Amino acid sequence: MESLHPENRTDASAETQPVKIPAGYDGGKIGNPDGYIKDREAEYSYTGPLEQGKLYLRGKFKATAEFIETTEPGENSIMLEYSAVAVNALLGPGEQAIGTVEVVVRNDDAPLSIRNATPDTTFRASDTSGDETVVLVDRKRVYQLVDNHRFGTHILELVCHTPGLRVYAFTFVSSAKPETAERQKPAA
C-alpha cells in the first residue's frame, strides 16, 4: 500500500493521486480482532488504539467483497485514523435503505466546523449530542466528508443509525507539492 504520508512518497503524484482504502474484504483491511466476517450479518466491536490504513467497525454490518453495509438500527460506526488534507468516500444506499440514509460525520471526536465542512455535509441540532454534521446519502457516488485545508493526522468516524448504508471505499487527498516530493527522492 502506498504511504498515507506525502513526505514518504517518492514521486510527484503525491499531489494528485489520492490514496484509496477499499471497505469490502476484497482488498480492504479491518482492524477488529476477529477480522471480516464474510457475507453475513455480524456484530462488530472494538476498543483500543487505531492503526492507519485499517477500518474499525462497531455495530451490525454485513461485509461483502465489494462493500460493508449497516444491517440493523443502532449506533453503527466506522472509524479510521488518517493523515491527509481531505477525505472522500464512495457511499450508497443498500437494499435495506428506506429513502435517504443519514450519516453522522465526526472528525477527532467532534462535529465538523464550518471551516472543514464540505459541500456534501450539513449541520443539524441533535437531542443527545448537541450539533451534528451529517451527510445525506441518496445514491451511490463519491461524497466529500471532510476538508481540513492542511495536512494532519486525524480520526474520522461515520455513524449510521439505520440499516442500508453501503461503504465501498475511502480516499485521502494530500496537499504535497511536487517540489516536496522531488526533494524526497533517494539519491541515485
Side-chain angles (χ1 to χ4, degrees):
M1 183 170 99
E2 293 183 54
S3 174
L4 296 179
H5 298 277
E7 65 272 15
N8 294 336
R9 302 278 301 274
T10 58
D11 62 16
S13 69
E15 180 177 18
T16 57
Q17 296 296 315
V19 173
K20 178 180 174 182
I21 297 177
Y25 60 77
D26 186 13
K29 292 185 179 178
I30 190 169
N32 296 67
D34 293 334
Y36 285 107
I37 299 166
K38 298 178 179 181
D39 300 315
R40 65 182 177 88
E41 180 183 298
E43 178 79 33
Y44 289 84
S45 63
Y46 183 79
T47 58
L50 307 182
E51 182 181 333
Q52 279 197 22
K54 293 184 178 181
L55 305 178
Y56 295 83
L57 307 179
R58 286 189 290 202
K60 293 204 174 180
F61 290 87
K62 179 180 180 181
T64 72
E66 186 181 5
F67 57 81
I68 54 177
E69 181 174 0
T70 59
T71 59
E72 295 287 334
E75 180 104 357
N76 303 300
S77 72
I78 303 164
M79 294 180 67
L80 57 99
E81 181 178 322
Y82 69 94
S83 293
V85 173
V87 182
N88 304 312
L90 179 58
L91 308 172
E95 293 174 8
Q96 293 186 47
I98 300 173
T100 299
V101 179
E102 292 187 357
V103 181
V104 176
V105 180
R106 296 181 184 137
N107 201 39
D108 297 328
D109 204 28
L112 301 184
S113 67
I114 294 293
R115 177 157 166 68
N116 64 355
T118 71
D120 290 324
T121 56
T122 59
F123 294 91
R124 71 169 182 203
S126 167
D127 295 336
T128 58
S129 62
D131 291 336
E132 291 181 327
T133 313
V134 178
V135 171
L136 302 175
V137 178
D138 58 352
R139 67 187 187 280
K140 183 179 176 182
R141 70 176 179 87
V142 174
Y143 291 83
Q144 298 174 352
L145 301 179
V146 62
D147 184 353
N148 295 303
H149 299 281
R150 294 181 59 193
F151 185 86
T153 299
H154 304 277
I155 294 176
L156 177 72
E157 182 177 20
L158 302 183
V159 179
C160 184
H161 297 281
T162 60
L165 171 68
R166 287 185 176 173
V167 180
Y168 295 86
F170 291 90
T171 58
F172 307 88
V173 182
S174 82
S175 64
K177 296 179 182 175
E179 64 269 17
T180 302
E182 195 67 32
R183 276 187 276 140
Q184 296 297 323
K185 283 188 178 178

